[in-house]
Amino acid sequence: MTVLDARTNAFRSDLAESRLRGQVSAARFVDGEPARVAVGIASLRESPAPDARQGSELLYGEEVLIFDRACGLAWVRNVDDGYVGYVEERVLGQRDNGPATHRVGALRSYLFETPDLKTAPRDLVHMNSPVRVVDHHEGWARLADDAWIWASHLSSLSHVESDPGAVAARFMGAPYAWGGRSSIGLDCSALVQLAYAACGVPCPRDSDMQEAGFGEKIPGLEAARPGDLLFWPGHVAFLLSEDRILHANAHHMAVETEPLVDFRARTRDRIGDVRTVRRVALGR
């Protein structure tokens, strides 16, 4: 059988996704039950253990396939980026009857039970969360689950940003969080994924996936130009200029810019130097 990446393929010895039939061995294969994430963000764990590490996060409105439920946890795959993990069942709701019409364009925005900014917020949603707008009222948009959000914080699906680096810069100061995917906490590869998603370009979740095949490989650092992605083992950064990078990193525990020479000097003995440079076309 082919050895598949368990991060993006749902398979265990007892159960696997139907699309993997013939590629993995499992006692049973299932198609998966569709559902949507019903809370602002939800932790996607690597295993069902209480102390399991967070592999990624799910965003409000993202569609998942549920393959198994046990002990209050659901084993799922994020349909958008393919990431597999365990999430609390309570954060999942039924898939609604229509496709998304908009996405959250602001870094984050509150949901309310009524179109009244003086009421207590119901939840906080984050950039790139897909939503379906069903009504408008005096600057507010009502979503398919009857939540209200300030309409100017949404972007239509047809509207895309033009500069991933500029989108990433909007996250400046956001805290670093392993596996996080929002402005209240994210990691280096999520910053890249979110920035390109806002520009209409699907991007793999983890830095090694991005390094392996996202965009065009550039011969080396000497050929890099602003906007390119620089990869080290386990890390990725935006090249802002010839001598400056932008990245979510555990040294600052935040999204920050710094001189490239400083980062290279600080990490060369631990992770080595720049290993790969990639350039991603936006298709315009």
Side-chain angles (χ1 to χ4, degrees):
M1 292 292 180
T2 303
V3 178
L4 299 178
D5 191 336
R7 292 173 297 176
T8 53
N9 293 280
F11 63 93
R12 306 182 314 212
S13 61
D14 65 318
L15 183 65
E17 185 176 359
S18 294
R19 70 186 182 92
L20 302 180
R21 193 184 299 272
Q23 300 181 66
V24 299
S25 295
R28 186 164 59 98
F29 290 85
V30 296
D31 292 336
E33 171 195 348
R36 289 195 188 276
V37 180
V39 298
I41 50 175
S43 181
L44 192 63
R45 305 298 183 93
E46 294 178 350
S47 77
D51 59 349
R53 191 171 70 167
Q54 176 170 274
S56 187
E57 282 182 328
L58 302 171
L59 301 180
Y60 174 86
E62 287 187 325
E63 185 174 339
V64 301
L65 291 175
I66 304 172
F67 306 112
D68 192 22
R69 300 173 186 261
C71 302
L73 297 177
W75 185 42
V76 306
R77 179 169 64 84
N78 184 344
V79 174
D80 184 49
D81 66 13
Y83 224 80
V84 173
Y86 294 83
V87 65
E88 292 184 344
E89 277 189 276
R90 65 176 181 82
V91 308
L92 301 177
Q94 290 185 340
R95 185 175 61 179
D96 60 36
N97 295 322
T101 59
H102 294 73
R103 63 176 178 84
V104 177
L107 282 180
R108 52 194 174 273
S109 185
Y110 281 119
L111 297 183
F112 294 86
E113 294 289 353
T114 62
D116 182 354
L117 60 83
K118 294 183 180 180
T119 58
R122 173 173 131 181
D123 207 342
L124 185 66
V125 293
H126 302 274
M127 178 182 281
N128 293 328
S129 292
V131 300
R132 184 162 70 92
V133 174
V134 296
D135 196 9
H136 288 88
H137 175 74
E138 297 181 351
W140 294 87
R142 183 166 66 88
L143 307 183
D145 63 357
D146 289 328
W148 292 85
I149 188 171
W150 193 242
S152 65
H153 288 179
L154 301 178
S155 296
S156 68
L157 296 183
S158 62
H159 171 79
V160 293
E161 303 284 349
S162 60
D163 184 346
V167 176
R170 294 167 59 185
F171 287 82
M172 278 289 294
Y176 179 86
W178 180 274
R181 290 180 66 222
S182 80
S183 65
I184 63 171
L186 74 171
D187 57 27
C188 64
S189 54
L191 181 65
V192 171
Q193 184 192 48
L194 293 170
Y196 276 96
C199 295
V201 180
C203 175
R205 173 61 182 91
D206 289 344
S207 63
D208 64 316
M209 302 173 183
Q210 296 166 0
E211 182 181 13
F214 186 48
E216 173 192 3
K217 188 173 182 180
I218 303 304
L221 189 57
E222 64 282 354
R225 65 190 189 199
D228 289 348
L229 298 174
L230 307 184
F231 292 91
W232 293 258
H235 191 65
V236 59
F238 284 91
L239 183 64
L240 292 183
S241 64
E242 183 178 342
D243 60 356
R244 199 160 191 86
I245 59 173
L246 168 69
H247 57 154
N249 68 94
H251 177 75
H252 298 98
M253 285 302 291
V255 176
E256 292 289 349
T257 67
E258 64 175 314
L260 175 58
V261 65
D262 289 358
F263 181 80
R264 295 174 76 188
R266 186 173 71 244
T267 61
R268 186 177 287 114
D269 290 342
R270 179 168 54 87
I271 63 173
D273 209 346
V274 177
R275 182 167 66 182
T276 306
V277 179
R278 285 196 168 271
R279 185 171 300 153
V280 182
L282 297 186
R284 297 185 184 284

